[in-house]
Amino acid sequence: MGRHRTDELDGGYRAAEPPSRRRARSSRGRVLVPLAGAVALAVLLGVAAFVIFNRDHDCSDGKLALRVVATPDIQPALNKIAGNYNKAMHSVDSKCVDVTVTKESAARTANAVAAGKSSADFWVADSSLLLESMRAAGGDGLPRPDGSVALSPVVLATAKTSAAKLEGTLKPSWTSLIAAANVANVDGPGRKVRVLALDPQKNSAGLTALLAAAGTAKAAKQDKALVGALKELSGQLASDSSALLASLTVKSGNRVPVGVASEQAVYVHNTRKPEAPIVALYPEEGTLSLDYPVTILTKDAATLKAAASFKKELSGDSAKKILREAGFRSADGKAGDNLSKEKGFAQETPQALTPPDAATVTRMVQTWSRLNLGTRLLTLLDVSGTMALPVPGTGMTRMQAINKIATEGLALFPADSELGLWTFSTHMDGQGKDWRELVSVGPVSESINGVLRKEMLVRAFAQTQAKATGDTGLNDTVKAAYAQLSKTYKEDKINTLLILTDGAGNDDPDGGLSNAGLLDYLKKTYNPKRPISILLIAFGPEAEKGKQQMDAVAKATGGEAYIAKDVLQVRDFFLQGMERRLCTPNCDG
């Protein structure tokens, strides 16, 4: 045993350590064992995390391009979202998705898509209603959207300094806006308010405003007022929101400018710190919104996965925050802090009107297009003896009243209209000729001997007198005028013959063309492919006697005959005549 002891001391065996040190070493061993296990677990978890991370962010096979095209208003926000998305290295089939966002108007993209010429994989337009209108106009190849990424209500807008002036003059509503814009409502709020609009054929907010106004007008039975408003607005359209909002700060006499725009456009305008900021006025009836629909265009399997991934990103909290910071609302209508009351907005979600169906969108687009077709109108003005009779309660003769109303009617026609004026009675231009041309048909903006045709028309209406001994040679005059318009027909315009009379029809002591003869002529001459409609407006107690013949004359050309119980009612019939432009040549009566 001693040897063993000696051997241990000599190095063959280690000498026994003191108990305290042995306990210490034993304790350290107990610590290291679980620590080593923890390190091993961490390594395993790290490996697993690395595997999971790289499964979703595996760029080993390079990049997969996702080409996004968006309307200019939302493109900057989407570009920022795409930048964050790209940095996060989202991958599909071992390729990192690389999103690029370019800007292009929705109408231009839609045309390219319909023609099969778009290179985009992913499309964010600004309005489902615009896509519906383009689909109805022949864009059957447009794919259907799949959800939306943001909202921006269409609102009324005015300069902050002008808002107080509107109180008591114009309520924030579509019906009030229509009343102010209605050119035939000469005594309405239009005396104090100047309404500006966006071209609905070029701007989605303009189309959305048109549809919202039309829907509320129909509900309020204001169809004629809407026509009068649209005719007025068609002559003073802004091509984009920036131009419209800038013009709201331009003074126009005592009239307060009011326009329409998207809420987000108002926000962007104000971020530029203009001298006169704009405030949003939310229509009492509710409104429609730009809804920024998403449409997936790619057919490639891998790119479809990338599109789905980016679409999911757009619904995330980070993307919503970026969109709200840019003045948009999220798809559920929630606003960010930027749309505060202090900045001229309402954070609560505006009441939403029911979106129109496809048929309504199509009809309103056609309405706008037809209302804004050029006009070619020849007016036949009765100057027979009875036109000198007084109109009870007005202090005017029939001639003076109708001339005043006809002069007002000139305001319905834009500068590219072609107008002319004949007067008729009997023997107006020599024996047997029952009409006289006062102003030839031509552009109202055309100068004749230094005088604009429009000014010539105003003077002619003001100076025309009734022929005291004159009868009513209506039939011969209508035939001559209809032949003239047929000979000089213009394809790009709506050609109309307007007759203003207080009589019971034809009253020609020399005979002339009979009622049956006129109807026969019109039926043979009328060409639905080159339609010239007759709009006949009669007033006075004698008018009712000739109603049957008047109806027959008008309907032979797809037109309409009206009898005004009050001469001032002629003003309404001008608008009804305008409404018929929407259905010519297939009106139902």
Side-chain angles (χ1 to χ4, degrees), residues 114-133:
K117 296 181 179 180
S118 174
S119 60
D121 303 312
F122 190 110
W123 175 26
V124 180
D126 50 10
S127 171
S128 297
L129 296 174
L130 172 70
L131 301 188
E132 199 64 61
S133 71

Side-chain angles (χ1 to χ4, degrees), residues 60-129:
S60 58
D61 286 346
K63 293 183 177 181
L64 173 61
L66 180 68
R67 296 162 297 187
V68 177
V69 62
T71 51
D73 50 348
I74 203 170
Q75 186 267 346
L78 294 187
N79 196 49
K80 187 174 182 179
I81 295 169
N84 293 340
Y85 178 87
N86 291 341
K87 288 177 183 177
M89 299 175 61
H90 294 270
S91 67
V92 169
D93 298 337
S94 300
K95 292 183 178 180
C96 263
V97 180
D98 183 36
V99 181
T100 56
V101 187
T102 57
K103 61 184 177 182
E104 186 174 66
S105 72
R108 186 169 182 176
T109 306
N111 288 330
V113 171
K117 296 181 179 180
S118 174
S119 60
D121 303 312
F122 190 110
W123 175 26
V124 180
D126 50 10
S127 171
S128 297
L129 296 174

